[in-house]
Coordinates of all heavy atoms in Angstrom, one line a residue:
V1073 N -36.7 26.7 16.5 CA -37.4 26.7 17.8 C -36.8 27.7 18.7 O -37.5 28.4 19.5 CB -37.2 25.3 18.4 CG1 -37.7 25.3 19.9 CG2 -38.0 24.2 17.7
A1074 N -35.5 27.9 18.7 CA -34.8 28.9 19.6 C -35.2 30.3 19.2 O -35.4 31.2 20.1 CB -33.3 28.7 19.4
L1075 N -35.5 30.6 18.0 CA -35.9 31.9 17.5 C -37.3 32.3 18.1 O -37.6 33.4 18.4 CB -36.0 32.0 16.0 CG -34.6 32.1 15.3 CD1 -34.8 32.1 13.8 CD2 -33.8 33.4 15.8
T1076 N -38.1 31.2 18.3 CA -39.5 31.4 18.7 C -39.6 31.6 20.2 O -40.6 32.0 20.7 CB -40.5 30.3 18.2 OG1 -40.0 29.1 18.8 CG2 -40.4 30.3 16.7
E1077 N -38.6 31.2 20.9 CA -38.6 31.2 22.4 C -38.2 32.6 22.8 O -37.3 33.2 22.3 CB -37.6 30.2 23.0 CG -38.0 28.8 22.7 CD -37.0 27.8 23.4 OE1 -35.9 28.2 23.7 OE2 -37.4 26.6 23.5
A1078 N -38.9 33.0 23.8 CA -38.7 34.4 24.4 C -37.9 34.4 25.7 O -37.3 35.3 26.1 CB -40.0 35.1 24.6
D1079 N -38.0 33.2 26.4 CA -37.4 33.1 27.7 C -36.0 32.6 27.6 O -35.5 31.9 26.7 CB -38.2 32.1 28.6 CG -39.6 32.5 28.7 OD1 -39.9 33.7 28.7 OD2 -40.5 31.6 28.9
G1080 N -35.2 33.1 28.6 CA -33.8 32.7 28.7 C -32.8 33.4 27.8 O -33.2 34.1 26.9
S1081 N -31.5 33.3 28.2 CA -30.5 34.0 27.4 C -30.3 33.4 26.0 O -30.7 32.2 25.9 CB -29.2 34.0 28.1 OG -28.7 32.7 28.3
W1082 N -29.7 34.1 25.1 CA -29.5 33.5 23.8 C -28.5 32.3 23.8 O -28.6 31.4 23.0 CB -29.0 34.6 22.8 CG -27.5 35.0 23.1 CD1 -27.2 36.0 23.9 CD2 -26.4 34.4 22.6 NE1 -25.8 36.2 24.0 CE2 -25.3 35.2 23.1 CE3 -26.0 33.4 21.7 CZ2 -23.9 34.9 22.8 CZ3 -24.7 33.2 21.4 CH2 -23.7 33.9 22.0
I1083 N -27.6 32.3 24.8 CA -26.7 31.1 25.0 C -27.6 29.9 25.3 O -27.4 28.8 24.7 CB -25.7 31.4 26.0 CG1 -24.8 32.6 25.6 CG2 -24.9 30.1 26.3 CD1 -23.7 32.9 26.6
T1084 N -28.5 30.0 26.2 CA -29.3 28.8 26.6 C -30.2 28.4 25.4 O -30.3 27.2 25.1 CB -30.2 29.2 27.8 OG1 -29.4 29.6 28.8 CG2 -31.1 28.0 28.2
R1085 N -30.8 29.4 24.7 CA -31.7 29.1 23.6 C -31.0 28.4 22.4 O -31.6 27.5 21.8 CB -32.4 30.3 23.1 CG -33.4 30.9 24.2 CD -33.7 32.3 24.0 NE -34.1 32.7 22.6 CZ -34.0 33.9 22.2 NH1 -33.6 34.9 22.9 NH2 -34.3 34.1 20.9
F1086 N -29.8 28.8 22.1 CA -29.1 28.3 20.9 C -28.1 27.3 21.2 O -27.3 26.9 20.4 CB -28.5 29.5 20.1 CG -29.5 30.4 19.5 CD1 -29.8 31.6 20.1 CD2 -30.2 30.0 18.3 CE1 -30.7 32.5 19.6 CE2 -31.0 30.9 17.8 CZ -31.3 32.1 18.4
S1087 N -28.0 26.8 22.5 CA -27.0 25.9 22.8 C -27.1 24.5 22.1 O -26.1 23.9 21.7 CB -27.1 25.6 24.4 OG -28.3 25.0 24.8
D1088 N -28.4 24.0 21.9 CA -28.5 22.8 21.2 C -28.0 22.9 19.7 O -27.4 22.0 19.2 CB -30.0 22.4 21.2 CG -30.4 21.8 22.6 OD1 -29.5 21.6 23.4 OD2 -31.7 21.8 22.8
T1089 N -28.4 24.0 19.1 CA -28.0 24.3 17.7 C -26.4 24.3 17.6 O -25.8 23.7 16.7 CB -28.5 25.6 17.2 OG1 -30.0 25.6 17.4 CG2 -28.2 25.8 15.8
A1090 N -25.8 25.0 18.6 CA -24.3 25.1 18.6 C -23.7 23.8 18.8 O -22.7 23.4 18.1 CB -23.9 26.1 19.6
A1091 N -24.3 22.9 19.7 CA -23.7 21.6 19.9 C -23.8 20.7 18.7 O -22.8 20.0 18.4 CB -24.5 21.0 21.1
I1092 N -24.9 20.7 18.0 CA -25.1 19.9 16.8 C -24.1 20.4 15.7 O -23.4 19.6 15.1 CB -26.5 20.0 16.3 CG1 -27.5 19.3 17.3 CG2 -26.7 19.2 15.0 CD1 -28.9 19.6 17.0
L1093 N -24.0 21.7 15.5 CA -23.1 22.2 14.5 C -21.6 21.8 14.9 O -20.8 21.5 14.0 CB -23.2 23.7 14.3 CG -24.5 24.1 13.7 CD1 -24.6 25.6 13.7 CD2 -24.7 23.6 12.3
L1094 N -21.3 21.9 16.2 CA -20.0 21.5 16.6 C -19.7 20.0 16.3 O -18.5 19.7 15.8 CB -19.8 21.8 18.1 CG -18.4 21.4 18.7 CD1 -17.3 22.3 18.1 CD2 -18.4 21.7 20.2
I1095 N -20.6 19.2 16.5 CA -20.5 17.7 16.2 C -20.2 17.6 14.7 O -19.3 16.8 14.2 CB -21.7 17.0 16.6 CG1 -21.8 16.9 18.1 CG2 -21.7 15.6 16.0 CD1 -23.1 16.3 18.7
V1096 N -21.0 18.3 13.8 CA -20.8 18.2 12.4 C -19.4 18.6 12.0 O -18.7 18.0 11.2 CB -21.9 19.0 11.7 CG1 -21.5 19.2 10.2 CG2 -23.2 18.5 11.9
V1097 N -18.9 19.8 12.5 CA -17.6 20.3 12.2 C -16.5 19.3 12.6 O -15.6 19.0 11.8 CB -17.4 21.7 12.8 CG1 -16.0 22.2 12.6 CG2 -18.4 22.7 12.1
V1098 N -16.6 18.8 13.9 CA -15.6 17.9 14.4 C -15.5 16.6 13.5 O -14.5 16.1 13.2 CB -15.8 17.6 15.9 CG1 -14.9 16.5 16.3 CG2 -15.5 18.9 16.7
N1099 N -16.7 16.1 13.2 CA -16.8 14.9 12.4 C -16.2 15.1 11.1 O -15.4 14.2 10.5 CB -18.3 14.5 12.3 CG -18.5 13.3 11.4 OD1 -18.1 12.1 11.8 ND2 -18.9 13.5 10.2
A1100 N -16.5 16.2 10.4 CA -15.9 16.5 9.1 C -14.4 16.6 9.1 O -13.7 16.1 8.3 CB -16.5 17.8 8.5
L1101 N -13.9 17.3 10.2 CA -12.4 17.5 10.2 C -11.7 16.2 10.5 O -10.6 15.9 10.0 CB -12.1 18.5 11.4 CG -12.5 20.0 11.1 CD1 -12.2 20.8 12.3 CD2 -11.7 20.5 9.9
L1102 N -12.3 15.4 11.4 CA -11.7 14.0 11.7 C -11.6 13.2 10.4 O -10.6 12.6 10.1 CB -12.5 13.3 12.7 CG -12.3 13.7 14.2 CD1 -13.2 13.0 15.1 CD2 -10.8 13.5 14.6
G1103 N -12.8 13.1 9.7 CA -12.8 12.4 8.4 C -11.8 12.9 7.4 O -11.1 12.1 6.7
F1104 N -11.7 14.2 7.3 CA -10.8 14.9 6.4 C -9.3 14.5 6.7 O -8.6 14.0 5.8 CB -10.9 16.3 6.4 CG -9.9 17.1 5.7 CD1 -10.0 17.2 4.3 CD2 -8.9 17.8 6.3 CE1 -9.0 17.9 3.5 CE2 -8.0 18.5 5.6 CZ -8.0 18.5 4.2
F1105 N -8.9 14.6 7.9 CA -7.5 14.3 8.3 C -7.2 12.8 8.2 O -6.1 12.4 7.9 CB -7.2 14.8 9.7 CG -7.1 16.3 9.8 CD1 -8.0 17.1 10.5 CD2 -6.0 16.9 9.1 CE1 -7.8 18.5 10.5 CE2 -5.9 18.3 9.1 CZ -6.8 19.1 9.8
Q1106 N -8.2 11.9 8.4 CA -8.0 10.5 8.3 C -7.8 10.2 6.8 O -6.9 9.4 6.4 CB -9.2 9.7 8.8 CG -9.3 9.7 10.3 CD -10.5 9.0 10.8 OE1 -11.5 8.9 10.2 NE2 -10.3 8.3 12.0
E1107 N -8.5 10.8 5.9 CA -8.3 10.6 4.5 C -6.9 11.1 4.0 O -6.3 10.4 3.2 CB -9.4 11.3 3.6 CG -10.7 10.5 3.7 CD -11.7 11.0 2.6 OE1 -11.2 11.7 1.7 OE2 -12.9 10.8 2.7
R1108 N -6.5 12.2 4.5 CA -5.2 12.7 4.1 C -4.1 11.8 4.6 O -3.1 11.6 3.9 CB -5.0 14.2 4.7 CG -6.1 15.2 4.2 CD -6.0 15.4 2.8 NE -4.9 16.3 2.4 CZ -4.8 16.8 1.2 NH1 -5.7 16.5 0.2 NH2 -3.8 17.6 0.9
R1109 N -4.3 11.3 5.8 CA -3.2 10.4 6.3 C -3.2 9.1 5.5 O -2.1 8.6 5.3 CB -3.6 10.0 7.8 CG -3.3 11.2 8.8 CD -3.6 10.8 10.2 NE -2.7 9.7 10.7 CZ -2.9 9.1 11.8 NH1 -3.9 9.5 12.6 NH2 -2.0 8.1 12.2
A1110 N -4.3 8.6 5.1 CA -4.4 7.4 4.3 C -3.7 7.7 2.9 O -2.9 6.8 2.4 CB -5.8 7.0 4.0
E1111 N -3.9 8.8 2.3 CA -3.2 9.2 1.1 C -1.7 9.3 1.3 O -0.9 8.8 0.4 CB -3.7 10.5 0.6 CG -5.1 10.5 0.0 CD -5.5 11.9 -0.5 OE1 -4.7 12.8 -0.6 OE2 -6.8 12.0 -0.8
A1112 N -1.3 9.8 2.4 CA 0.2 9.9 2.7 C 0.8 8.5 2.8 O 1.9 8.3 2.4 CB 0.4 10.8 3.9
A1113 N 0.0 7.6 3.4 CA 0.5 6.2 3.6 C 0.6 5.6 2.2 O 1.7 4.8 2.0 CB -0.4 5.4 4.5
L1114 N -0.3 5.8 1.4 CA -0.3 5.2 0.0 C 0.9 5.7 -0.8 O 1.6 5.0 -1.5 CB -1.6 5.5 -0.7 CG -2.8 4.6 -0.3 CD1 -4.1 5.1 -0.9 CD2 -2.6 3.1 -0.6
E1115 N 1.1 7.1 -0.7 CA 2.3 7.7 -1.4 C 3.6 7.1 -0.8 O 4.5 6.8 -1.6 CB 2.3 9.2 -1.2 CG 1.2 9.8 -2.0 CD 1.2 11.3 -1.8 OE1 2.1 11.9 -1.1 OE2 0.3 12.0 -2.3
A1116 N 3.7 6.9 0.5 CA 4.9 6.3 1.1 C 5.1 4.9 0.6 O 6.3 4.5 0.3 CB 4.8 6.3 2.6
L1117 N 4.0 4.1 0.4 CA 4.2 2.8 -0.1 C 4.7 2.8 -1.6 O 5.5 2.0 -1.9 CB 2.8 2.0 -0.1 CG 2.3 1.6 1.2 CD1 0.9 0.9 1.1 CD2 3.2 0.6 1.9
S1118 N 4.2 3.7 -2.4 CA 4.6 3.7 -3.8 C 6.1 4.1 -3.9 O 6.8 3.7 -4.8 CB 3.8 4.7 -4.6 OG 3.9 6.0 -4.1
K1119 N 6.6 4.9 -3.0 CA 8.0 5.3 -3.0 C 9.0 4.2 -2.6 O 10.2 4.3 -2.8 CB 8.2 6.5 -2.1 CG 7.5 7.8 -2.6 CD 7.7 9.0 -1.7 CE 7.0 10.2 -2.1 NZ 7.1 11.3 -1.2
M1120 N 8.4 3.1 -2.0 CA 9.2 2.0 -1.6 C 9.6 1.1 -2.7 O 10.4 0.2 -2.6 CB 8.6 1.2 -0.5 CG 8.4 2.0 0.8 SD 7.3 1.2 2.0 CE 8.5 -0.1 2.5
A1121 N 9.0 1.3 -3.9 CA 9.3 0.4 -5.0 C 10.7 0.7 -5.6 O 11.2 1.9 -5.6 CB 8.3 0.6 -6.2
A1122 N 11.4 -0.4 -5.9 CA 12.8 -0.2 -6.4 C 12.8 0.3 -7.9 O 11.9 0.0 -8.7 CB 13.5 -1.6 -6.5
P1123 N 13.6 1.3 -8.2 CA 13.6 1.9 -9.5 C 14.0 0.9 -10.6 O 13.5 1.0 -11.8 CB 14.5 3.1 -9.4 CG 15.4 2.8 -8.3 CD 14.7 1.9 -7.3
T1124 N 15.1 0.1 -10.4 CA 15.6 -0.8 -11.4 C 15.8 -2.2 -10.8 O 15.7 -2.4 -9.5 CB 16.9 -0.3 -11.9 OG1 17.9 -0.2 -10.9 CG2 16.7 1.0 -12.6
A1125 N 16.0 -3.2 -11.6 CA 16.3 -4.5 -11.2 C 17.2 -5.2 -12.2 O 17.2 -4.9 -13.4 CB 15.0 -5.3 -11.1

Side-chain angles (χ1 to χ4, degrees):
V1073 171
L1075 287 177
T1076 61
E1077 291 181 347
D1079 300 332
S1081 66
W1082 68 271
I1083 295 179
T1084 302
R1085 290 156 51 199
F1086 292 100
S1087 60
D1088 288 346
T1089 305
I1092 295 172
L1093 292 177
L1094 180 62
I1095 290 171
V1096 170
V1097 170
V1098 171
N1099 176 73
L1101 290 176
L1102 284 174
F1104 171 76
F1105 285 115
Q1106 284 177 334
E1107 283 195 17
R1108 301 296 282 189
R1109 288 179 63 186
E1111 285 180 16
L1114 288 171
E1115 289 181 4
L1117 287 180
S1118 64
K1119 291 177 182 177
M1120 295 173 71
T1124 60

